[in-house]
């Protein structure tokens, strides 16, 4: 597929950015570089102490971002939009062949990329310059994807079919074929996480009937061949899950509307629950490294770090926070509504809002 002709050769730099005004939906980090994407075609990046608001060839809402090396990046969003930033710093809009919303993007090798969205999985073998649909299904919203290695991946989805719909996991085998596995109408999958070694996979979610029912945690230790469901001694929704070498942690909102986390350090044999605040949902979770974890959520709520996020947390103005990422064990960013970008340089012990960025420029 050919690359579209709409490109931007330069970006605009502000030393001290602040809320962009748009909803910021995703953040990715590698090396010393942080990438943020959001509504209205917003893309913001930070390298060292300099923030840059990128000039980009679209004004659609962007939902997911992935960066290979801090310079080359891929952002995806509404109307089948996939944007590629090359080594020269130029953003190009590539043809995906679809017009649906794209939700998430992941790469498992130097060149292979997978994108998931409403009714489709796209694959690229040239860092996103061209795309091929490798799975299509009507009424199926594919929410998140994780990669085991260059040949194997797993995505989670919800199919809106009569009478009650069904939760799906979609697995890519090493031979390149995608297979469906139905989990039935009882639960909805929300997030998926693959461990750092690309072997174990964990899925979290919620009851499809009621938020007052126990949430879902399932895991496979053999890349999705066999699955085990883990009972959770609390009720509510789990919105995000993170796997480290030593533990698995899921975060969400309990049945009373309060922020809570559950953690297992023994591969799911036992779970420890922590309830943090009333009337606040945790929406994003990040592994800082060395057993440190930070969670973000409603009303600018941030909690962590610690081995298990135990401190009471803090609130910052600017609306809900949706995503969080760290470039190292000290420095990271959290993003959310009203263009809020919060930064930390002490592993999440303190957070500082950035200053305002001018509006996005299009050509």
């Amino acid at each position: 597929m050919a690359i579209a002709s709409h490109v931007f050769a330069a970006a605009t730099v502000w030393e001290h950015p602040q809320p962009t005004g748009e909803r910021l939906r995703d953040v990715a980090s590698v090396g010393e570089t942080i990438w943020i994407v959001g509504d209205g075609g917003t893309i913001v990046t930070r390298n060292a102490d300099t923030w840059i608001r990128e000039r980009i060839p679209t004004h659609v809402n962007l939902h997911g971002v992935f960066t290979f090396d801090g310079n080359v990046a891929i952002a995806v969003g509404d109307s089948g939009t996939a944007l590629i930033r090359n080594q020269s710093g130029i953003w190009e809009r590539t043809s995906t062949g679809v017009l649906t919303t794209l939700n998430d993007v992941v790469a498992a090798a130097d060149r292979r990329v997978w994108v998931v969205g409403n009714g489709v999985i796209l694959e690229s073998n040239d860092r996103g310059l061209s795309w091929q649909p490798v799975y299509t299904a009507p009424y199926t919203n594919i929410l998140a994807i994780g990669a085991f290695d260059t040949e194997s991946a797993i995505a989670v989805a919800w199919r809106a079919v009569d009478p009650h719909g069904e939760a799906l996991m979609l697995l890519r085998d090493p031979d390149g074929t995608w297979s469906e596995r139905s989990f039935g109408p009882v639960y909805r999958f929300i997030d998926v996480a693959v461990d750092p070694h690309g072997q174990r996979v964990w899925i979290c979610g919620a009851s499809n009937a009621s938020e007052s029912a126990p949430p879902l945690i399932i895991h496979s230790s053999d890349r999705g061949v066999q699955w085990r469901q883990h009972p959770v001694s609390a009720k509510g929704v789990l919105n995000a899950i993170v796997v480290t070498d030593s533990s698995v942690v899921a975060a969400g909102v309990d049945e009373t509307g309060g922020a809570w986390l559950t953690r297992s350090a023994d591969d799911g044999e036992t779970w420890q629950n922590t309830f943090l605040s009333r009337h606040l949902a945790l929406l994003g979770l990040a592994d800082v490294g060395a057993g440190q974890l930070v969670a973000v959520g409603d009303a600018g709520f941030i909690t962590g770090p610690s081995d298990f996020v135990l401190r009471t947390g803090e609130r910052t103005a600017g609306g809900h926070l949706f995503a969080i990422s760290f470039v190292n064990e000290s420095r990271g960013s959290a993003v959310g509504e009203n263009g809020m970008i919060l930064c930390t340089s002490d592993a999440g012990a303190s957070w500082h809002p950035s200053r305002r960025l001018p509006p996005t420029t299009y050509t």
Side-chain angles (χ1 to χ4, degrees), residues 14-328:
W14 294 272
E15 293 298 325
H16 301 287
Q18 216 209 26
T20 64
E22 299 87 0
R23 173 178 290 196
L24 303 176
R25 298 175 179 269
D26 197 20
V27 55
S29 304
V30 67
E32 291 298 309
T33 305
I34 299 169
W35 290 95
I36 297 168
V37 300
D39 287 0
T42 299
I43 300 181
V44 180
T45 184
R46 183 184 187 186
N47 195 318
D49 293 324
T50 301
W51 284 93
I52 299 172
R53 183 153 190 170
E54 302 280 317
R55 298 175 182 265
I56 61 169
T58 183
H59 62 274
V60 305
N61 297 339
L62 300 173
H63 300 281
V65 62
F66 178 89
T67 178
F68 290 93
D69 54 15
N71 188 35
V72 177
I74 296 177
V76 299
D78 290 348
S79 304
T81 299
L83 305 174
I84 315 300
R85 187 184 194 270
N86 62 26
Q87 291 283 357
S88 300
I90 299 173
W91 282 97
E92 303 169 327
R93 181 167 182 168
T94 65
S95 175
T96 61
V98 299
L99 296 176
T100 189
T101 296
L102 302 177
N103 296 319
D104 196 15
V105 54
V106 69
D110 184 53
R111 304 188 69 80
R112 178 164 289 160
V113 188
W114 291 293
V115 170
V116 298
N118 191 358
V120 68
I121 299 176
L122 303 173
E123 181 176 301
S124 172
N125 293 307
D126 53 14
R127 283 194 169 195
L129 297 181
S130 62
W131 299 93
Q132 302 79 39
V134 291
Y135 171 89
T136 57
Y139 314 112
T140 303
N141 192 16
I142 308 170
L143 300 173
I145 186 169
F148 295 107
D149 55 28
T150 60
E151 304 296 336
S152 304
I154 182 170
V156 293
W158 174 259
R159 177 170 293 161
V161 294
D162 291 335
H164 304 295
E166 61 178 340
L168 296 175
M169 58 185 74
L170 307 170
L171 288 155
R172 187 191 194 273
D173 297 325
D175 64 3
T177 60
W178 286 86
S179 59
E180 294 182 3
R181 299 190 184 180
S182 174
F183 205 74
V186 177
Y187 292 100
R188 284 181 181 263
F189 297 148
I190 296 176
D191 196 19
V192 59
V194 176
D195 78 8
H197 305 291
Q199 194 64 34
R200 297 178 300 145
V201 56
W202 294 80
I203 293 172
C204 69
S207 167
N208 191 40
S210 170
E211 291 185 5
S212 63
L216 172 76
I217 297 181
I218 61 174
H219 108 277
S220 171
S221 59
D222 52 12
R223 295 189 172 197
V225 177
Q226 297 180 335
W227 290 89
R228 176 185 174 190
Q229 184 168 346
H230 299 273
V232 180
S233 59
K235 297 178 180 180
V237 176
L238 292 171
N239 294 311
I241 193 163
V242 167
V243 182
T244 71
D245 284 335
S246 60
S247 64
V248 54
V249 179
V253 55
D254 70 8
E255 62 177 328
T256 67
W260 73 290
L261 302 101
T262 187
R263 177 205 185 203
S264 175
D266 53 14
D267 216 31
E269 292 296 326
T270 59
W271 294 85
Q272 174 189 358
N273 297 335
T274 299
F275 300 91
L276 299 170
S277 176
R278 295 302 176 194
H279 310 297
L280 292 171
L282 291 176
L283 305 173
L285 185 64
D287 172 24
V288 182
Q292 303 294 297
L293 296 161
V294 177
V296 300
D298 283 357
F301 187 84
I302 302 176
T303 186
S306 67
D307 179 51
F308 184 34
V309 188
L310 290 175
R311 77 182 178 91
T312 56
E314 60 187 82
R315 296 192 196 188
T316 54
H320 304 325
L321 295 171
F322 300 125
I324 181 172
S325 183
F326 279 78
V327 297
N328 53 43

